[in-house]
Amino acid sequence: MSDGPHVIVFANEKGGTGKSTTAVHVAVALAVKGARVACLDLDHRQRTMGRYLDNRETSAKRTGAQLAIPRHATTDGRGDGNFADLFHEMAEGADYLVIDTPGRDDVAGRTAAALANTLVTPMNDSFVDFDLIGQVDPDTFSVTRPSFYSEMIWNARKARAKADGTTIDWVVLRNRLQHIGARNMRRVSDALEQLAKRVGFRIIPGLTERVIYRELFPSGLTMLDSKEFGQMGLAHVAARQELREMMAALALPEPAQPSEPAQPAAA
């Protein structure tokens, strides 16, 4: 990894795609490995990532659990301070900077996307979510054109490559995949493959729809905190495995030098 953190930005202008939950799990998974991880939540209204990590700190203090906790801050990037200053502050000394953007068009979110090394766009397995990145023919379901959002990312990637030679790795992450509606799944898959060839993103599987993810939020735990669950059921084991597979598929670079594991919050 070169100087400065590897910036991982989670961006989708539509809500309800599991963006914040996925961002937290990625951040904690990296911290558990011993990386120095900082998190920046740009959605000051919902503040899901910030609240999740606040809950994690509270749980560590209450129970004395040895939880890896990334350093984190929340801002709207405008009225709540200067985005550039906070970006550099959080990036200082970090191996990875994980940024969660609002589920809407937002100036700070677009700025963050342009600064990404890895840009992750989570989406549910439907043409409602696909519409964010591309349009399809209603009869054949073939891609007719990229969306405004895809064009924006395309232009950001070209500008970044021209500015400093960095290639933004754009990853479309398919969350909440289900085995029902197999025909629709095939159609979405085919459309994604078509669009990926045109605008240059990778497609990887994400986290499926599981009640356990919603239940973990109040405690701030993740699927990697198995010691805190007591007895683990099959759903826990399956969820932990899909998280590991997602992390492998993201193919993030390793830190230049191993760091000490993140320290738990003080009891």
Side-chain angles (χ1 to χ4, degrees):
M1 185 181 293
S2 60
D3 292 340
H6 186 88
V7 180
I8 310 166
V9 177
F10 286 79
N12 188 320
E13 292 180 3
K14 292 189 176 184
T17 60
K19 175 173 58 62
S20 299
T21 298
T22 309
V24 169
H25 275 74
V26 168
V28 171
L30 293 169
V32 166
K33 290 174 61 178
R36 298 168 296 180
V37 183
C39 296
L40 185 54
D41 189 343
L42 298 184
D43 192 348
H44 70 294
R45 295 178 184 173
Q46 297 292 328
R47 202 174 173 269
T48 305
M49 176 187 240
R51 287 274 294 147
Y52 204 125
L53 294 172
D54 284 347
N55 293 343
R56 187 171 179 84
E57 287 183 333
T58 300
S59 290
K61 292 176 181 177
R62 186 184 70 252
T63 66
Q66 301 294 303
L67 300 178
I69 303 175
R71 194 162 51 93
H72 61 283
T74 301
T75 180
D76 67 356
R78 291 169 296 181
D80 188 26
N82 184 283
F83 172 75
D85 289 344
L86 187 56
F87 177 91
H88 290 299
E89 177 185 334
M90 298 304 292
E92 183 69 28
D95 296 314
Y96 302 94
L97 175 57
V98 180
I99 302 179
D100 188 23
T101 63
R104 60 183 182 275
D105 183 28
D106 179 89
V107 174
R110 280 186 267 130
T111 301
L115 293 170
N117 296 107
T118 299
L119 176 64
V120 184
T121 301
M123 61 170 284
N124 295 324
D125 211 46
S126 74
F127 280 110
V128 173
D129 278 22
F130 183 87
D131 192 63
L132 173 76
I133 57 176
Q135 297 176 10
V136 298
D137 182 278
D139 296 318
T140 65
F141 297 98
S142 295
V143 175
T144 56
R145 65 180 300 275
S147 69
F148 172 79
Y149 182 82
S150 287
E151 292 174 352
M152 180 186 74
I153 299 302
W154 174 267
N155 290 330
R157 296 170 82 190
K158 286 197 300 182
R160 182 70 180 279
K162 183 177 180 180
D164 61 12
T166 298
T167 300
I168 299 177
D169 182 19
W170 186 14
V171 179
V172 170
L173 186 141
R174 298 178 71 183
N175 269 342
R176 296 170 177 163
L177 288 172
Q178 300 191 25
H179 296 295
I180 60 174
R183 178 184 297 179
N184 181 69
M185 283 183 62
R186 288 196 299 272
R187 286 172 172 168
V188 173
S189 294
D190 290 345
L192 281 170
E193 293 289 349
Q194 290 177 43
L195 189 58
K197 293 176 182 177
R198 291 178 63 171
V199 299
F201 55 73
R202 296 192 292 123
I203 307 166
I204 69 170
L207 307 179
T208 56
E209 178 62 34
R210 299 182 188 275
V211 175
I212 184 61
Y213 290 121
R214 295 191 293 272
E215 292 178 340
L216 289 174
F217 176 80
S219 64
L221 296 178
T222 73
M223 293 315 307
L224 295 174
D225 303 309
S226 57
K227 293 181 180 178
E228 309 307 318
F229 293 143
Q231 184 175 0
M232 290 186 64
L234 291 177
H236 294 79
V237 175
R240 186 173 60 182
Q241 181 59 30
E242 72 187 16
L243 173 59
R244 288 172 173 167
E245 291 174 357
M246 181 188 74
M247 292 299 298
L250 279 173
L252 300 171
E254 294 293 330
Q257 294 180 346
S259 305
E260 292 296 323
Q263 296 300 311

